[in-house]
Amino acid sequence: MNTAGKPSAPENPGTPGTPGTAYAWDDLVSAALLGAERRTLPGGGVKGLLDAAALQTVRRRAGVRAAVPGPRLDPAPPDERPALPEDAEWRLTTLLANRSPAGGSSGGRRGPGPDLGELLPQWLAAANERGYRAPSAVLPALLDAARARTDLRAETLTFAGPRALWLARLNPDWKFALRDGVRRRAPEVESDEARRLWEEGLFAERVALLGALRQRDPAAGLALLESTWKTERAEDRLMFLDSLRQGLGPDDEPFLDQALADRSRTVRATAAELLAGLPDSALARRMAERARTCVSLDPMSGARPRVTVEAPHECDAAMQRDGVIPKPPAGRGERSWWLGQLAEAAPLDVWRERFGGRTPEEIVALPVADGWREDLHAAWCRAAVRQRAEEWARALMGPPTAPFGEGPGDPAKLLSVLPGEERGAWAARFIAAHGLSEAFRILGVCAVPWSLPLGRAVVDALEIARDAGSYPWSFSGVMGLAERCLDPADAERLAPLAAVPDEVEGGSPGAGAYWAEAFQRLVATLRLREAMLRELDGGHAGGEVPAGAASIRE
């Protein structure tokens, strides 16, 4: 019931209980809330109360004043890209109707059918590769999907095009699209418009503008940030400072050096991290000098050289200004905490000089005295990831046949530093040696679709687990990745695995049926992915499109 308006004329009280009687709205509401047991109902009973409420509602709505008309909206901009093939448009509506909730897959057993919502990101990427425009009718559903799942936003907004930005201005739920619009328009934004948006725009628009300008013209982005830096809030300064990672270079050093004296500890720490990423910066040189005084070759080790460590005994004011955090986390000693921060921030090239021109592999192989090896190597791992140092990453990861728990750092992070083809080859050998129990994070950084050796290694390991009689639930994460990352052409090769295997003596009861269901879902998903690509290329999906799909038009 609409309670917002007021009647334009006094209500006619009439005779209570007679047709057309106009009861006071407040009396009707009170009677409905209190009930017949506590109050005599207007109209003589429940039916009379409802009749009176319906009549009064019409009168109240008729008395609501009309809203003042606003300016006519500009028409939506045109999108000249080609339309989707009809089969592909039907597929998109199906995927949107079955999309996963925020956070991705719903988890648990899903039956033998594909998880359609999890295929939406791949469909959008493939459609964007082919340059299609989104059908107008599905734009609201696309924006709702991107609002719920941030991992969909980039591909969704590319596919939705300029009409999505037009719609987003009309619905505050879709304001995230306006931030993306700022990023996309930044290459064409003139300096005056950029200045106006920087001074008057929403915070999210300002962050997007700064990031986009840093990609196009790092100096212009830095100048914009410097112009208002002193008046920004601490939490905003942190986000703006993080945007300088785009196009980070030597010209940023003076500004970042001033930020080392910021009143916010998190801003100071971020500035120090960025300066450490500039190997020739004064901060990097200071951290390198401190690290040199802590780590060296033992002059008494003779023909069997080893590394000696003398960790800092204090964290002085100069170290803290350069981003060293004095208080360690619980369970961590102060000296090892300070040492790790120094070694992480020092340019890795300093160690070649420090250890007589040895290669990273030779340096990592040196023994470290007095139990400092784990701390030192862990710091080098973080430095290798931060500095994207491939040779150091290879040396610290070691061979994929080595036991997983013996490495000093996170193999997945180190693996992300290497080229895509090399990541896949390393992961394939790792899985062949160790199985899938520790493979999930490693597989997550491998290029998609997986290379043939990696795909075969994953499937072989899954088959081994099935034959051992294990339940498939322990491997549900890997199976989900396989559905999205295996080459769709592998579907027919894997089809025999969808059969129910014989029970294994000593295996988990009923595990074979569960494995069959998991492989049925894998094969069905690969076939569906193959059909999706064929539809986007204008080919029919082989009978998967229902008869009504041909009637779908943009």
Side-chain angles (χ1 to χ4, degrees):
M1 296 183 183
N2 186 348
T3 63
K6 295 181 179 180
S8 57
E11 297 174 347
N12 175 20
T15 302
T18 62
T21 299
Y23 296 97
W25 181 256
D26 290 344
D27 290 341
L28 294 173
V29 173
S30 297
L33 291 174
L34 293 173
E37 295 82 2
R38 299 179 59 188
R39 184 164 184 165
T40 301
L41 298 180
V46 174
K47 182 178 183 301
L49 172 64
L50 294 176
D51 288 342
L55 181 62
Q56 184 68 347
T57 298
V58 173
R59 286 173 169 163
R60 290 169 62 83
R61 287 178 176 172
V64 172
R65 296 175 181 175
V68 177
R72 184 184 296 273
L73 293 174
D74 293 331
D79 191 338
E80 304 298 337
R81 294 175 295 175
L84 284 170
E86 292 181 354
D87 295 347
E89 184 174 338
W90 173 83
R91 182 70 67 190
L92 173 60
T93 60
T94 303
L95 295 177
L96 286 170
N98 292 274
R99 64 183 175 87
S100 301
S105 179
S106 57
R109 292 182 58 214
R110 295 181 278 115
D115 185 348
L116 298 183
E118 285 305 296
L119 293 178
L120 183 57
Q122 289 195 7
W123 190 98
L124 289 168
N128 286 330
E129 287 175 2
R130 291 156 176 79
Y132 290 122
R133 74 169 184 265
S136 298
V138 303
L139 286 175
L142 280 168
L143 288 169
D144 281 340
R147 176 182 176 234
R149 287 182 56 179
T150 56
D151 62 312
L152 292 176
R153 289 184 180 177
E155 296 288 2
T156 295
L157 294 172
T158 297
F159 180 57
R163 293 179 178 182
L165 302 182
W166 182 85
L167 278 177
R169 294 186 181 94
L170 307 177
N171 186 342
D173 288 344
W174 300 332
K175 62 185 178 182
F176 68 88
L178 300 178
R179 297 194 295 269
D180 185 84
V182 170
R183 293 188 185 96
R184 294 172 188 275
R185 290 194 310 109
E188 295 87 34
V189 170
E190 299 295 335
S191 58
D192 290 344
E193 184 182 357
R195 171 65 62 180
R196 180 189 60 77
L197 184 59
W198 179 253
E199 293 178 350
E200 302 175 6
L202 300 173
F203 172 70
E205 293 177 318
R206 299 176 72 206
V207 172
L209 175 66
L210 180 59
L213 286 178
R214 287 288 296 182
Q215 287 184 313
R216 182 188 72 181
D217 185 351
L222 179 62
L224 206 62
L225 179 58
E226 286 181 309
S227 67
T228 60
W229 177 256
K230 292 182 180 179
T231 62
E232 304 289 355
R233 300 181 304 169
E235 55 268 33
D236 294 351
R237 293 199 305 275
L238 179 63
M239 291 295 294
F240 292 144
L241 197 62
D242 199 64
S243 298
L244 297 188
R245 298 181 192 277
Q246 294 282 353
L248 183 66
D251 292 341
D252 299 318
E253 182 178 356
F255 174 78
L256 292 173
D257 196 65
Q258 292 179 4
L260 290 175
D262 194 272
R263 58 184 179 274
S264 167
R265 182 178 66 82
T266 53
V267 171
R268 296 195 302 269
T270 302
E273 180 186 349
L274 292 172
L275 283 168
L278 297 172
D280 296 327
S281 68
L283 180 139
R285 291 194 297 272
R286 292 194 297 269
M287 298 300 264
E289 186 57 36
R290 292 178 181 121
R292 284 192 192 95
T293 63
C294 297
V295 182
S296 61
L297 281 178
D298 184 354
M300 305 299 293
S301 55
R304 302 182 63 183
R306 66 173 184 170
V307 177
T308 60
V309 174
E310 182 64 30
H313 291 271
E314 64 173 342
C315 183
D316 58 32
M319 289 170 61
Q320 294 182 45
R321 183 183 183 277
D322 284 346
V324 179
I325 300 172
K327 185 174 177 59
R332 183 78 180 271
E334 286 184 335
R335 296 183 65 199
S336 67
W337 173 243
W338 300 332
L339 171 71
Q341 293 179 78
L342 297 182
E344 178 183 352
L348 286 167
D349 286 345
V350 73
W351 304 114
R352 289 180 181 269
E353 171 195 342
R354 189 63 170 160
F355 296 124
R358 288 177 169 85
T359 66
E361 188 174 3
E362 292 170 336
I363 294 172
V364 169
L366 290 172
V368 181
D370 301 327
W372 286 104
R373 181 182 184 278
E374 182 177 349
D375 292 301
L376 182 60
H377 282 213
W380 284 344
C381 286
R382 296 191 297 273
V385 173
R386 178 190 290 185
Q387 299 174 35
R388 313 303 296 174
E390 294 181 12
E391 194 175 357
W392 277 91
R394 293 187 190 97
L396 290 161
M397 287 171 58
T401 54
F404 188 85
E406 292 186 3
D410 185 345
K413 291 182 179 179
L414 291 169
L415 196 61
S416 68
V417 177
L418 304 182
E421 185 176 349
E422 186 175 352
R423 292 200 299 270
W426 194 95
R429 293 172 58 201
F430 177 89
I431 291 169
H434 305 289
L436 295 171
S437 59
E438 301 287 353
F440 182 75
R441 288 182 297 114
I442 289 174
L443 289 171
V445 300
C446 292
V448 177
W450 289 338
S451 63
L452 181 61
L454 177 56
R456 286 182 173 173
V458 171
V459 173
D460 289 347
L462 288 171
E463 191 172 1
I464 290 171
R466 182 200 65 174
D467 293 344
S470 303
Y471 275 124
W473 305 328
S474 301
F475 306 95
S476 59
V478 174
M479 188 68 80
L481 283 175
E483 293 172 17
R484 300 189 294 274
C485 301
L486 279 174
D487 190 325
D490 286 338
E492 299 311 316
R493 182 175 65 85
L494 300 178
L497 296 176
V500 179
D502 296 332
E503 291 289 340
V504 178
E505 184 178 353
S508 302
Y514 292 135
W515 275 109
E517 182 181 281
F519 279 117
Q520 288 167 15
R521 182 170 60 248
L522 173 61
V523 172
T525 302
L526 295 179
R527 287 173 174 163
L528 180 54
R529 287 174 53 205
E530 190 171 30
M532 284 166 32
L533 297 177
R534 190 163 59 248
E535 292 161 359
L536 286 166
D537 288 331
H540 198 277
E544 292 189 31
V545 181
S551 64
I552 296 177
R553 293 291 188 272
E554 182 178 350

